[in-house]
Amino acid sequence: MESMGDHGGLFLTTVFATFFAAGIVKGVTGMGLPTVAIGVLGALMSPLSAAGLLIVPSCATNLWQLLAGRHLHGLIARFRAMMLAVLAGTMLGTALLAGGDVALSTAALGAMLLLYSAYTLVARPVRIPVRFEARLSPLVGAATGLLAGATGVFTLPAVPYLQALGLERDELVQALGLSFTTSTVALAAGLAWHGALPLQNLALSTAAVLPSVAGMVLGQAIRSRVSPTTFRRCFLLCLFLLGAEMLMRALLQRF
C-alpha cells in the first residue's frame, strides 16, 4: 500500500497548501473547500484521485459546520427527501468519475466550475416560495447528487437553491453543512461501490485534515476583517479561470 513517504516533497506541499487555502475559503464563505481542492488538484492529477484525497478533510470540516448550530433536527426533518435524493444521485453519478475517462471527467469538472462561478457572479438573488419546496427539494437533491458524483463538486444546484429559500444565516450555514456532509459520504460510498475509492491515499487524505481545519479557523478570523463581498468576488473569478483552463485542456485532449 502506498504511503505518504512515497510522494515527493513538492507534491505533499502542494496538496497541503491547497487544502489550507480551501479551508480559508470555507472559513470565510461557509463553503468552497471541495470546489477549491478538486479544482486545483484536478489540474495536477485525475479527478478521481483528487476526489479520493477530498473525502476525509471534506467530511471533517463539513461535520464541524453541520454540528455547530441548534437547527440540526429541524433541518434533517425539513430536507430529508432532498438528502435521500442527493445520496441516490451521487451513487449514480460516481459511475462517470469511476469510469476512467479522464478527459470527460475533467471537462465535466471544468464546466461545473465555470457554471458555478459565472452564475454566482452575475445572478440576482431569487426567492422560492415555501409551497414549492416539497416538489423542488428532491429534484434539486438528485441533480446535486449526479453532479457531485460525476465531478466531486457539491455546490450546484444545492447552494443557490438553499440560498433562495430565505433561510436565516445560521440555518443556511448549517443546511449547507448537511448537504455537503451527505454528498461527501455518498461520494465515498459511490466510489467504494464501483471499486474506485483510492484507499492507498487514505493516509494522505487524513493528514490533509490538519491544514484544512487550520485554514478554516484562519478564514473565520479573516471573515470579520475583510469584506466578504470582495473576497467572494476574487474567489469566483479564480474559479472561473481555473474552470476555463480545465475545460480547454480536456477538449484539446479529446480532439
Side-chain angles (χ1 to χ4, degrees), residues 1 10 14 32 41 63 93 126 128 166 186 193-194 200 218 222 237:
M1 179 172 288
L10 180 59
T14 302
L41 295 177
L63 279 173
V126 296
I128 296 176
W193 177 266
H194 292 288
Q200 68 272 18
L218 178 59
I222 291 173
L237 285 172

Side-chain angles (χ1 to χ4, degrees), residues 76-96:
I76 290 176
R78 180 173 178 179
F79 296 112
R80 180 171 55 246
M82 180 180 172
M83 295 306 111
L84 290 174
V86 167
L87 284 169
T90 305
M91 293 288 286
L92 291 174
T94 49
L96 174 62

Side-chain angles (χ1 to χ4, degrees), residues 74-133:
L75 289 172
I76 290 176
R78 180 173 178 179
F79 296 112
R80 180 171 55 246
M82 180 180 172
M83 295 306 111
L84 290 174
V86 167
L87 284 169
T90 305
M91 293 288 286
L92 291 174
T94 49
L96 174 62
L97 191 61
D101 191 334
V102 175
L104 182 58
S105 55
T106 300
L109 176 55
M112 273 284 292
L113 295 177
L114 277 174
L115 180 62
Y116 169 67
S117 56
Y119 172 85
T120 310
L121 277 168
V122 303
R124 295 180 178 179
V126 296
R127 284 294 177 92
I128 296 176
V130 175
R131 65 180 182 274
F132 296 132
E133 191 177 317

Side-chain angles (χ1 to χ4, degrees), residues 17 39 52 57 82 88 95 98 125 139 149 156 159 168-169 181 217-218 223-224 227 230:
M82 180 180 172
L139 297 176
L156 289 178
V159 170
E168 295 181 3
R169 177 186 172 89
T181 299
V217 172
L218 178 59
R223 185 190 300 171
S224 60
S227 167
T230 301

Side-chain angles (χ1 to χ4, degrees), residues 50-61:
L53 289 181
L54 170 72
I55 297 296
V56 180
S58 180
C59 196
T61 54

Side-chain angles (χ1 to χ4, degrees), residues 112-214:
M112 273 284 292
L113 295 177
L114 277 174
L115 180 62
Y116 169 67
S117 56
Y119 172 85
T120 310
L121 277 168
V122 303
R124 295 180 178 179
V126 296
R127 284 294 177 92
I128 296 176
V130 175
R131 65 180 182 274
F132 296 132
E133 191 177 317
R135 294 180 180 179
L136 287 178
S137 286
L139 297 176
V140 171
T144 299
L146 287 170
L147 291 172
T151 66
V153 176
F154 315 142
T155 49
L156 289 178
V159 170
Y161 173 70
L162 291 173
Q163 290 172 331
L165 291 178
L167 299 172
E168 295 181 3
R169 177 186 172 89
D170 290 343
E171 274 189 304
L172 176 60
V173 171
Q174 203 166 5
L176 290 173
L178 175 62
S179 179
F180 297 156
T181 299
T182 304
S183 296
T184 304
V185 172
L187 178 64
L191 292 177
W193 177 266
H194 292 288
L197 186 62
L199 295 177
Q200 68 272 18
N201 284 329
L202 182 60
L204 181 56
S205 181
T206 302
V209 171
L210 183 59
S212 299
V213 171

